[in-house]
Structures are given as structure tokens and as C-alpha cells.
Amino acid sequence: MRFLFVTDLHLRETDVDDFSTHVRIVDAGLNFAGENWPDAEFCVIGGDISDDGTRSTYRWLKTRLQSLPFPTILIPGNHDNRSVMLEEFEIESPFIHSAVDFGQYRCLFLDTLDPGNDSGFMCPERLTWLEAEVSKAGERPIIIVMHHPPCDIGDPILDPIKLRNYRELAGVLEPADIAQIFFGHIHRNLATTWNGIPAMSLAQPNRDLPTLSVELVGDRIASTYRASRSNLSGR
């Protein structure tokens, strides 16, 4: 079993209107993912789907995702417009978070968007939802996917715009067996630990669309990084 993780597409209205180089890179990368991992259980797009929050960017992606051989799970980032996403992707919840079983694991996809702020925040309602989902997992290990990192990465520009209430998040997760955290936002590949939990980020599209294949190998999680190796130049 496997799922795919891509993040920080940063689509702009002018990009999708003109089918710019950046959109062609994303388009080619999605083709690459569908052709190389058609057996994936799902693909997670980890936030900052849109760079300007415009309706046309979400409409373009919604249409594009229909041709993929697997379902897609979305979470928002700080550049996204939650209300437009809720309308365009027909999501009934006031927040864009969800839970999915993945083999023996429970995957929780978090909404860390705090409108008007580059940093992330989880309000009491979202933390209550998360606490309930952690409880439902029982003794099963949990995989967390979120846009904002819950920890410092050693960058003086990016560290102040991580998840602000990371201590509250840690308190909710403390009773659970958290196997892995995946995040975006920082536009680079990085592996670290937070409270003893392995955490990994993924770069944004430049000349290709970086894709992380997360596979269950026995009782382990194996992550494989691949990119489409597009010959298109980045913007």
C-alpha cells in the first residue's frame, strides 16, 4: 500500500488562464505521478494549492484531478482561501480536515490555516476534532499530514511562521502513537524530529513536481522521493 504527497503548488490565476510554464510543470508532474504510481490509495496535496486564493486556480486543479487514477485529499495552506476551497471542492465541514485508514495506520490531515497570517494556528474547534480522531485510532499508529511545521527548522525567516500553538498540538497528540508527520510550507526537503516524532517536509514545484511515495513495507513506513524531471524551465 502507498499514498503520494505533493505540496505548495502555488497556482496563480494568470498561470491557469495562460497555461504558464509553472502550470505545465504541475500538469506534467501530476501525469508522472499517475503513470508511475497508479496503485496509490490516494494523493495528498499539502496546502498552498493556490498562491492568490482565486477561484480559477481551484477550478483548474479540480478538473485536472479528475483524470488521476486515485482520489485526492486536500488540506489548506496560508496562501489558500478556505471559503472558496469549501465551495469549489464541495466540502461541507467548516474546516478542511479529514481522517483515512491506511493499512494498520490512521492518517489525519490537519487544517492549520489562520486567515491573514503566514503562520499556522489550530483553533479550539479543530483541536477538539483532532482529539476525537486520535481517540478513535485506539492503539493504531497515526500519520499526521499538515501544512505548517510544528517545529523550528533553524531558519530565522521560516521559524516564526510555523504552527503557533504547537504546544497545544503536542498536548493532543501526546497520548497517541504518532508514527510520522509530513508537512510543507518551507519549500524544501527536510527530515527532522519533533518531540521524538519523525517529521519530513517536501519542496515545492520548480522545474518538476517533487512527489513523495509513502509505502507500507511490513510494519514500517518507507518514503521514496521522486520528481518528474521535466525539461521545462521554472518561472
Side-chain angles (χ1 to χ4, degrees), residues 25 39 70 75-76 104 129-130 136 138 147 151 160 164 217 222 229 231:
I25 288 169
D39 62 335
F70 36 70
I75 57 174
Q104 68 268 38
W129 173 87
L130 178 60
K136 290 177 187 176
H147 180 72
C151 54
R164 296 199 307 277
V217 180
R229 306 297 181 191
N231 58 7

Side-chain angles (χ1 to χ4, degrees), residues 141-153:
I142 293 173
I143 296 171
I144 299 284
V145 186
M146 56 197 296
H147 180 72
H148 293 87
C151 54
D152 288 340
I153 63 165

Side-chain angles (χ1 to χ4, degrees), residues 18 34 85 94 141 164 176 215 228:
D18 299 336
M85 283 184 69
R164 296 199 307 277
E215 186 177 5
S228 54

